[in-house]
Amino acid sequence: MRVISGTAKGRSLKAVPGTSTRPTTDKVKEAIFSMIGPYFDGGQVLDLFAGTGGLGIEALSRGMDKGVFIDIEKKSIDTIQHNLQTAGLKDQAEIYRTDATRALKALAKREQRFALVFLDPPYKMKFIADLISTMEEQAIAEANATIVVEHDAKDVLQADIGSFKLMRRADYGDTAVTIYTRSIEG
C-alpha cells in the first residue's frame, strides 16, 4: 500500500495488524480517484471506518485541505496516526476513536461540513443507506458533496438516498465501489 499521487506520492502506508480490516488495494484506490478527482482544490474529507486511513490520506495528498478520520478500533487509530506521520499530513488531520453514528452526531454539533466522504464499513454491516440518510439529516455533507462507498460486490445499493444520486458503480472482484453525488443550491 502506498500513496499513489500528489504531495505524498510514493510514501508507503502500513496495514492494520491482524485480519480485522481489509485495506483498499492500490488498484481500487487508483480507480476511485480516477472517477472522483483526480485532484482537489481544497475542502474537507471524512474517512469513516478509516482502517489504515489510506483513502483520506490519498485525498489530502491530492489537494483536500483537511481530513477527519474515524474508526472504532485502537489498532486502526494507531495505524492512521503512523500513516499520517509517514505521509507528512498529520497537521491536516483529526483522528477520533468512536463509532460512525456517534461521530456523525459530534461532527454535526461542531457544524463540520465535508465535500468528500469515504464509507468503507466491514462488509457484514448493511447500513450504508442509514449512514447516508443520517449525514443528510445532520447536514454534514456540503451542497455538492461526493460520497464514495466501498462494499461487497454482491450488495446492490439504492439508486437514490435522499438528495444523493448514484453516479457510478464499478466492481473489482469481491469489492464494489458505488459513488453518490448531489448538487444542491446553497
Side-chain angles (χ1 to χ4, degrees), residues 122-134:
Y123 284 179
K124 67 180 184 229
M125 295 182 170
K126 308 291 183 191
F127 58 96
I128 296 296
D130 293 341
L131 285 173
I132 293 174
S133 294
T134 299

Side-chain angles (χ1 to χ4, degrees), residues 32-33 35-48 54-69 107 113-119 135 140-149 164 167 178-181:
I32 288 170
F33 284 91
M35 290 185 269
I36 65 168
Y39 297 97
F40 307 100
D41 188 22
Q44 287 198 102
V45 59
L46 173 61
D47 195 345
L48 207 54
L55 291 171
I57 289 169
E58 188 73 34
L60 289 173
S61 180
R62 292 173 183 246
M64 297 299 280
D65 293 323
K66 183 179 174 197
V68 175
F69 297 81
L107 292 167
R113 304 289 175 266
F114 299 92
L116 178 60
V117 177
F118 293 108
L119 293 177
M135 278 186 249
I140 297 240
E142 290 182 0
N144 296 309
T146 299
I147 297 177
V148 178
V149 183
F164 287 94
M167 181 181 96
T178 300
I179 299 173
Y180 290 93
T181 58

